[in-house]
Amino acid sequence: MIIKERVIKYGDNVNTDVIIPARYLNTTDENELALHCFEDLDSDFAEKAKERKIIVAGSNFGCGSSREHAPLAIKASGIKAVIAESFARIFFRNAINIGLPVITSGEVSDLIEDGDELEVDLSGGTIKDITKNKTFEIQPFPDFIQGIIKSGGYVNFTRDNIKGK
Amino acid sequence: MAQKILASRCGREYVSEGEIINADVDIVLGNDITLPLAIEEFNKIGAGRVFDTNKVVVVPDHFTPNKDIKSASQCKFVREFARNQNIKNYFEVGKMGIEHALLPEQGLVVPGDLIIGADSHTCTYGALGAASTGVGSTDVAVAMSTGKVWFMVPRTIKFIYNGNLKDWITGKDLILYTIGLIGVDGALYKSMEFSGPAVSKLSMDSRFTMSNMAIEAGGKFGIFEVDEKTEEFLERRSHRDYKIFRSDSDAEYEKVYNINCDDIELQVATPHLPSNARNAAELSSIKIDQVVIGSCTNGRIEDLRIAAEILKGKKISENLRTIIIPATQNIYLEALKEGYIEIFINSGCVVSTPTCGPCLGGHMGVLAEGERAVSTTNRNFVGRMGHPGSEVYLSGPAVAAASAIAGRIATPEEVI
Ligand code: SF4
């Protein structure tokens, strides 16, 4: 699975409150959530996300509450992948479970810049920064997790598997 | 240790750190506030029946006995699901206790189990040598359908507790001290392993308290090795066979902390983080409005025994309320037989039926703006027990009971 898109870049400790503020949690409609995604951190996010569909960030991305609304809002904004130095544990699970690829890489946040074009190869385990002509190794997702992401989430994935039997 | 349990649950000899595996779970747990969402997802998957009616455990404990119409509807939804699915371990009010005290007491958890629960304090069962952790609602929906869920194999941080415990010190003081040392993300995504001569002397109740709070340091698991105390605890409660996993002597740890217990005083975590650990003795000027003794952290018999020892023959301060909540019906009954309930009532405390209640600002002791509580619970975030302008100081049972008498934060020596 290959994702070729440009980067929106953020810093460390991006928490679930800035991803989707609690005042919008009275809905589970992902399109409505997407309207307010990153509103308190970056008011231009929605505009940027029309053109650039990979988020690169520092450490502890998604810290804070366990709300599944946070990865849902990011995914519904059209973002194809989030690459960060580290993720908060429950955010990481929730993201995978709803089919949003989250990639951990210690080097990226220093070396990749806002606006760079990347080619992320999830099965091959590489991130290529096309703008800078550099390649980073990442631990590829096992087939199982790739399967979840391809199905569009853990619920769909499980449903397909049960049907397939 | 956690690594070995994860390997055994996906039928392999060995799994490596960072690897993602799909593993069989031994128990899937849900409560009255997290299960409704998981049931909706479960229905979307369309498996029809849960994978094993013995392995799904349902405990309506947060807003029960139903605190309002919304929670009554949620409980009804969960109850009907449990009935329709023929769930064996559904605990109705009357049998219900706070989930993380109830499951070990009922013998549902044994060493080597892999357990998930839609509640962050599911890590409590690490005290029994189980790998056990909190997850989101989608995970529970999938696990209820298939009996499997994916895991990333964590690295391990080892904590070795040496020396001797001072008077009144319990597991709560050790864990507050430890979180103070490493911070609220000090064990992010890691398995915490608690060991050393000082913790092997700890009661099972104190070990549950420590495992319970692993999540407050960001931990995925908080595990103890199985010893005679664990086996004695299980002998009286569980009929299940189990396998004991031990760390290899050459196991690799990301970090090892050596903690000398000779130096650890009674601890209090000040608002608004569990990592703000201080010596209780330094906080004696802090006046309080309410004391809560209970929760999945400290609502067990050891906690009530310590509180009763301190409150016996004394009156609580006229300036505050003291709410005591035995975590399960059996603990309540034992406290009654031992005469603790009488001591509490005579000293001016109120004793409640088991419930999470005030711990999450739900009911049975919500705080008003500007009020301060000393509580034996596990979180003191902004607004955790009520109004965003209220404050929670976390402590063990000894400081809580002494503070109830003094009307301010106090240690037992000051009131006995
Ligand atoms: S007692 Fe508090 S921390 Fe424990 S399960 Fe209930 S609400 Fe959660």
Side-chain angles (χ1 to χ4, degrees):
Chain A
M1 191 175 166
I2 294 187
I3 301 165
K4 195 174 165 193
E5 295 289 349
R6 286 173 59 220
V7 168
I8 303 175
K9 186 146 176 219
Y10 295 126
D12 291 338
N13 296 314
V14 173
N15 69 63
T16 50
D17 276 307
V18 301
I19 298 173
I20 182 74
R23 59 183 179 275
Y24 301 120
L25 295 183
N26 50 7
T27 176
T28 51
D29 177 346
E30 55 184 45
N31 296 319
E32 207 180 319
L33 291 170
L35 290 177
H36 304 290
C37 192
F38 287 111
E39 186 174 284
D40 293 354
L41 178 73
D42 177 3
S43 51
D44 297 333
F45 172 77
E47 204 46 44
K48 288 181 190 167
K50 284 182 190 153
E51 309 261 297
R52 303 193 246 153
K53 299 192 184 299
I54 295 178
I55 292 176
V56 173
S59 59
N60 209 17
F61 188 92
C63 58
S65 92
S66 68
R67 59 187 73 146
E68 260 183 39
H69 308 73
L72 269 177
I74 294 178
K75 192 182 173 203
S77 304
I79 295 296
K80 303 258 174 68
V82 183
I83 308 172
E85 274 175 42
S86 64
F87 290 91
R89 187 187 147 248
I90 300 182
F91 179 89
F92 187 83
R93 280 199 85 82
N94 288 347
I96 300 269
N97 286 347
I98 61 146
L100 175 70
V102 276
I103 302 154
T104 310
S105 166
E107 318 167 284
V108 289
S109 83
D110 282 343
L111 300 171
I112 295 175
E113 285 177 287
D114 203 36
D116 283 4
E117 184 171 24
L118 304 186
E119 189 176 288
V120 181
D121 182 349
L122 287 179
S123 12
T126 55
I127 300 174
K128 199 191 280 173
D129 187 329
I130 298 172
T131 314
K132 296 209 166 57
N133 195 19
K134 266 190 201 139
T135 303
F136 308 92
E137 301 275 317
I138 49 173
Q139 196 181 3
F141 283 129
D143 294 345
F144 177 75
I145 297 295
Q146 284 191 44
I148 293 180
I149 293 167
K150 267 187 212 145
S151 303
Y154 206 8
V155 165
N156 289 348
F157 175 82
T158 310
R159 186 174 49 209
D160 297 348
N161 272 2
I162 291 174
K163 268 196 208 136
K165 268 180 205 162
Chain B
M1 215 150 69
Q3 212 168 331
K4 287 188 178 171
I5 297 175
L6 288 169
S8 86
R9 283 301 173 271
C10 62
R12 291 181 24 201
E13 283 287 305
Y14 180 81
V15 290
S16 46
E17 289 163 353
E19 190 182 347
I20 293 177
I21 58 163
N22 195 26
D24 289 315
V25 290
D26 296 288
I27 288 180
V28 184
L29 167 71
N31 60 47
D32 53 318
I33 60 174
T34 56
L35 212 50
L37 209 61
I39 294 171
E40 285 172 17
E41 298 294 306
F42 173 84
N43 290 338
K44 278 189 213 159
I45 294 170
R49 311 299 302 170
V50 298
F51 79 106
D52 187 330
T53 53
N54 288 308
K55 293 184 177 176
V56 176
V57 180
V58 178
V59 188
D61 56 355
H62 279 60
F63 294 156
T64 51
N66 303 339
K67 84 175 178 100
D68 56 20
I69 295 172
K70 271 191 177 168
S71 52
S73 319
Q74 288 204 316
C75 284
K76 188 174 169 215
F77 184 56
V78 166
R79 180 182 305 116
E80 282 169 357
F81 174 79
R83 280 200 190 130
N84 292 337
Q85 292 286 340
N86 198 19
I87 304 281
K88 300 290 182 306
N89 292 302
Y90 166 74
F91 294 90
E92 188 57 271
V93 171
K95 295 200 179 86
M96 175 273 284
I98 299 174
E99 49 196 316
H100 309 309
L102 188 67
L103 269 63
E105 173 195 286
Q106 296 293 319
L108 296 175
V109 179
V110 296
D113 273 354
L114 179 59
I115 298 170
I116 59 160
D119 188 278
S120 60
H121 293 101
T122 305
C123 50
T124 309
Y125 320 126
L128 291 170
S132 153
T133 195
V135 294
S137 44
T138 302
D139 289 303
V140 162
V142 170
M144 286 198 302
S145 305
T146 65
K148 286 179 190 290
V149 74
W150 69 273
F151 284 92
M152 180 147 91
V153 182
R155 305 195 69 180
T156 299
I157 303 180
K158 187 171 186 153
F159 298 84
I160 305 170
Y161 297 86
N162 295 303
N164 292 300
L165 302 180
K166 293 189 173 173
D167 285 350
W168 301 109
I169 298 287
T170 62
K172 185 63 163 285
D173 303 290
L174 300 191
I175 194 68
L176 288 177
Y177 181 88
T178 304
I179 299 167
L181 194 69
I182 66 172
V184 287
D185 60 355
L188 190 63
Y189 236 107
K190 307 285 159 38
S191 177
M192 300 170 81
E193 227 174 88
F194 303 115
S195 63
V199 294
S200 62
K201 281 181 233 153
L202 283 183
S203 66
M204 286 311 296
D205 283 1
S206 262
R207 295 182 196 181
F208 283 119
T209 305
M210 291 184 72
S211 293
N212 176 271
M213 288 193 72
I215 181 67
E216 304 323 323
K220 178 172 192 156
F221 302 124
I223 302 195
F224 283 82
E225 273 208 3
V226 174
D227 64 9
E228 320 81 62
K229 278 189 189 157
T230 330
E231 302 207 63
E232 195 228 10
F233 178 93
L234 289 159
E235 213 168 284
R236 285 182 286 133
R237 294 175 175 84
S238 188
H239 305 295
R240 290 180 52 203
D241 293 334
Y242 56 86
K243 189 170 172 211
I244 297 172
F245 293 86
R246 297 194 190 284
S247 301
D248 297 332
S249 52
D250 60 347
E252 279 197 24
Y253 295 101
E254 180 174 284
K255 224 172 187 175
V256 178
Y257 288 91
N258 279 288
I259 294 173
N260 183 359
C261 296
D262 293 339
D263 302 336
I264 300 181
E265 308 278 341
L266 285 165
Q267 297 288 298
V268 170
T270 60
H272 290 284
L273 285 177
S275 56
N276 293 338
R278 303 266 303 273
N279 291 340
E282 296 163 24
L283 299 167
S284 58
S285 62
I286 299 198
K287 291 215 169 66
I288 51 176
D289 305 284
Q290 181 168 296
V291 170
V292 174
I293 299 175
S295 85
C296 61
T297 318
N298 288 106
R300 297 185 181 79
I301 199 68
E302 172 181 89
D303 306 305
L304 302 185
R305 183 182 308 123
I306 291 170
E309 244 175 82
I310 295 169
L311 288 164
K312 190 170 187 181
K314 303 236 164 32
K315 295 279 179 214
I316 63 164
S317 161
E318 285 184 0
N319 301 321
L320 55 68
R321 302 89 62 181
T322 299
I323 300 163
I324 300 185
I325 310 180
T328 68
Q329 292 284 76
N330 282 338
I331 296 169
Y332 201 147
L333 208 53
E334 196 177 339
L336 198 63
K337 285 185 193 147
E338 297 291 332
Y340 305 154
I341 304 293
E342 205 176 322
I343 293 173
F344 297 148
I345 293 176
N346 283 334
S347 67
C349 308
V350 67
V351 183
S352 155
T353 187
T355 180
C356 291
C359 170
L360 75 163
H363 58 145
M364 293 297 298
V366 175
L367 298 175
E369 182 170 14
E371 287 194 317
R372 271 197 203 119
V374 166
S375 175
T376 67
T377 52
N378 48 40
R379 284 190 177 141
N380 55 354
F381 300 153
V382 173
R384 173 72 181 181
M385 290 183 75
H387 194 282
S390 62
E391 292 184 341
V392 180
Y393 290 76
L394 303 175
S395 78
V399 168
S403 304
I405 296 169
R408 57 173 175 80
I409 293 181
T411 58
E413 287 79 15
E414 300 176 62
V415 297
I416 285 186

